[in-house]
Structure formats: C-alpha cells, structure tokens
Amino acid sequence: MSIENLKGFDPFADAAKGDEESVQDGLVHIRIQQRNGRKTLTTIQGLSAEYDLKKIVRACKKEFACNGTVVEHPEYGEVLQLQGDQRTKICDWLVKCGLVKADQLKVHGF
Amino acid sequence: MKDDEGEAPTAEAAEEVAGPQTTGPPEDDLDLDNLSKKKKKKKKKKLVLDGGEDEDEAHEAADPDLDLPEIPDDIDLESFGKKKKKKKQPLNLDELDDALPDEKEDDEVDLESFGKKKKKKKRAGELGGDDMKDDDKENVEANPWVDSDRDYTYDELLQRVFNIMRDKNPELVAGEKKRFVMRPPQVVRVGTKKTAFVNFTEIAKMLHRQPKHLLAFLFAELGTVGAIDGNNQLIIKGRFQQKHIENVLRRYIKEYVTCHTCRSPDTILDKETRLFFLQCMSCHSRCSVQTIKTGFQAITSKRSKTKQ
C-alpha cells in the first residue's frame, strides 16, 4: 500500500537545494562606526565566502567614490570596509546586483 | 511608562463613582459587561472622568520637563498620542450603548420570528438620540433576512459577525489599539567626543527593561562604548543626535518590547538558558528574541595605540 499524497514530491528537495542555490544563507549586517571627527566607516559583515570580496570592493569603490578594503576576521570571515556612511548606497547596490536579497540585509546604527 | 500613571488614578476615580462592582481599566469593562442599563449609565460618567483625569496627568507629566533646557513635547515613538484614543472611546461607547440592546433583540428576532421588529423600533425610539437612526439603519442592512422567510446567506452572517465584533471592540475600528507614547530621549553633547543620554534610566524604566539590556543594545547598534555616570545618565563615546538615539530606541522597542504577535507593549523579557524570551501579558504568546551581538568592529584608533 502506498500513500498517495507523498508520491512524486520530495518535501526535502527544497531544503537541499536551498543550501546550494542561495549562497547567501545568513544575514548581512551593515554597520556604521564613528571615527575621529565627523568621519565614519561602514562595515559589511556576512557576505557569502563564495563571492570574491576583492572584486566586490573594487566595484564598490568605483560606484560610491570612496576607499575600501577587505578585512579578514577569525570569527566573522571576510568583512568589507568602506569609508564614509555608505549604508543606504550599499544596500541598494547589493540588492540591485542580486548579491543579497533585501530581507537578508540588516542595517545597524543610527 | 506613562500608561500606568494614567491608568491607576482613573481606576480609583472609577471606583468612587461606580462602586465596587467595576474595577480595572474601562476597556475591559467594555467587552465583558453590557447587561444592565444601570451599569451603562455609570460607565458614561466614568468615561467623562477618565478624560479629565488623563489630561491632568498629561500636564503633570509635562511640567517637570520645563526646567530642563530642551523641552520637546512628548513625541510618540510609535505614532499618535493617547489623547486621540481617549477622545474616540467615549464616542464609540455611546454607539455601543445604543447598539447593544438592539443586538440582543436581534437574537430574539432571529430565534422566534419577525413581527417583533416594530416593537424594537419603538424601544429604540425611547432610547432616542440622533445616533439611533443610524444604528437602526445599520441593523436593517446588517440583517436583511429578518423581514423575509429565507435563510441567511454566508455573506450576511459574516457581515453580522463583523458588525458585532466592531461594536464590541471599538479599538479595532480605530485601527491600531493602545499606542504607547514615549518620552523623547534627551541627548546632550558632552565636550566634542562624547554624548550624554540624560534620561536613559528613566526610559529603561518606562519600557520595563533592565538598563543593562538596553545599554548592551545601544552599544551594539551604535558600535561604540560608554558608561553610566553618577547622575544615572549614559555617556556614549561618539557624536550622536537625538534623532539617532530615537531611531535606535524605536528598533529596540520593536524587537524587545512589543509583542511580535499582537504588538502589545505589555511584555516581560526573561532569560532562560542563555536565550531571551519575550512573554506577552495580553496574548500570552512567547517567543525568543535575537541575542544582542556587537559583530565586527573595525579598528578605528591608531594602530600604534592599540599595540601598547
């Protein structure tokens, strides 16, 4: 005897596929830090390791006309740093490029 | 929280007028009883009292602010203030009072047969009032099957249920219920590099949260450090304006104060096996909230300094 309902549909297919396809698994945290004076720093933490962050930062620098680097952190992996308050710009850009979905972005700071 | 301040004296006042049978906030009464007319009359009185008391309270609350340098009015972090709600309530109550007897009669009509309708109208007339006409119309519209022999349709019943619901819970009609109003955070610059959050402990108390928890959240969100000084004000490193702090507080309230299911601010945050759980007192839902994480912190000071 077979159960009709469960035929031809694997309930876990989604889960297995989800791991591979949505490279961006966790949240991407976008923070702002104050430096000396009125200068600020934007950090983007949690971008998937499968992306080449160096290329991303190169594009970002050009797009936002700011400097930026990739910093390696033992716990959080590679973190992007951009000079200035680029929070809204980087959010729009990441979504526009399809690197991150809008609901995965989490913007911190004031 | 301001709500509590407002509610407590009004309840007392209510008791003076209404006697021991009605205690607690008026909203509860609304839903529970509607049986005898005597009660209703009392309720009306009570409401008038409520309005007066509340305004007094608001003035009192605003007064102590006057000597401080910045006197922003009570901003509401969520949205418009309490006054509006209070104003609306008496109005809705009147409707309610008029509508409720009708409903009861509707049941009778449904159960037995028509023909009673005329009676109802007469009674309605006795009750009188301009609102009455509207209400009558509504009733006729709501229960079209009353006059005919046919069965009621699903849509009609649905309409009826919704009408009853709206009548009994005026807050639902008004949109969001129970907004809660916050005092604005007072943020003052200390020197050039630090900011003081003057009424920090007061706000933590208003939200019914541990100052420690709120502090951890603020520091994690702003990506900075600081301490509470002798006057119970929070000194934050970095330049921040009031709107910045407001934003962060708003996010804190959304995540850690209001219930995720019913958005009521009447919640308790308790720690259990390293996890924080938010327990709602009005809908009794219980859900975990995010842990506060600072995340990545870039090195902003000079490297030579950090090496020391």
Side-chain angles (χ1 to χ4, degrees), chain B residues 41-55:
Chain B
K41 268 189 184 168
K42 275 174 188 171
K43 234 192 278 167
K44 268 185 193 172
K45 262 190 211 166
K46 198 169 80 186
L47 262 172
V48 174
L49 254 186
D50 269 3
E53 283 278 323
D54 232 65
E55 277 180 14

Side-chain angles (χ1 to χ4, degrees), chain A residues 21-99:
Chain A
E21 193 189 272
S22 74
V23 187
Q24 201 54 63
D25 45 351
L27 286 171
V28 175
H29 298 271
I30 294 166
R31 295 197 175 79
I32 188 162
Q33 254 180 293
Q34 291 195 338
R35 283 175 56 216
N36 41 358
R38 46 174 298 171
K39 292 176 181 165
T40 49
L41 200 65
T42 311
T43 62
I44 297 108
Q45 172 206 322
L47 281 173
S48 167
E50 299 202 2
Y51 298 142
D52 187 352
L53 286 224
K54 291 221 175 76
K55 275 188 181 166
I56 290 179
V57 88
R58 209 173 299 150
C60 282
K61 283 160 75 166
K62 203 160 200 179
E63 181 82 15
F64 312 142
C66 67
N67 208 348
T69 49
V70 180
V71 176
E72 185 68 37
H73 190 275
E75 189 182 343
Y76 304 117
E78 285 184 315
V79 180
L80 227 108
Q81 277 186 20
L82 296 171
Q83 285 178 8
D85 184 1
Q86 315 288 350
R87 285 175 300 166
T88 43
K89 284 188 209 162
I90 190 79
C91 282
D92 295 343
W93 189 79
L94 284 174
V95 173
K96 197 189 79 194
C97 294
L99 293 175

Side-chain angles (χ1 to χ4, degrees), chain B residues 223-279:
Chain B
T224 176
V225 286
I228 296 181
D229 78 348
N231 313 331
N232 274 338
Q233 58 185 23
L234 180 67
I235 308 288
I236 312 168
K237 197 181 157 205
R239 303 172 171 200
F240 298 100
Q241 287 162 11
Q242 187 184 331
K243 59 181 179 194
H244 297 152
I245 304 288
E246 261 171 47
N247 258 334
V248 179
L249 275 178
R250 209 168 279 145
R251 237 178 286 157
Y252 179 82
I253 289 168
K254 197 181 159 210
E255 177 68 32
Y256 298 100
V257 179
T258 53
C259 168
H260 293 206
T261 315
C262 69
R263 290 199 274 167
S264 136
D266 186 14
T267 54
I268 290 176
L269 191 70
D270 54 341
K271 200 174 188 180
E272 210 171 274
T273 59
R274 285 193 240 168
L275 289 174
F276 277 108
F277 283 93
L278 193 71
Q279 177 130 30

Side-chain angles (χ1 to χ4, degrees), chain B residues 41-79:
Chain B
K41 268 189 184 168
K42 275 174 188 171
K43 234 192 278 167
K44 268 185 193 172
K45 262 190 211 166
K46 198 169 80 186
L47 262 172
V48 174
L49 254 186
D50 269 3
E53 283 278 323
D54 232 65
E55 277 180 14
D56 286 353
E57 276 293 315
H59 285 304
E60 275 173 29
D63 277 342
D65 276 2
L66 286 178
D67 12 4
L68 292 161
E70 295 170 17
I71 343 155
D73 281 337
D74 281 354
I75 53 124
D76 21 6
L77 283 178
E78 304 272 301
S79 144

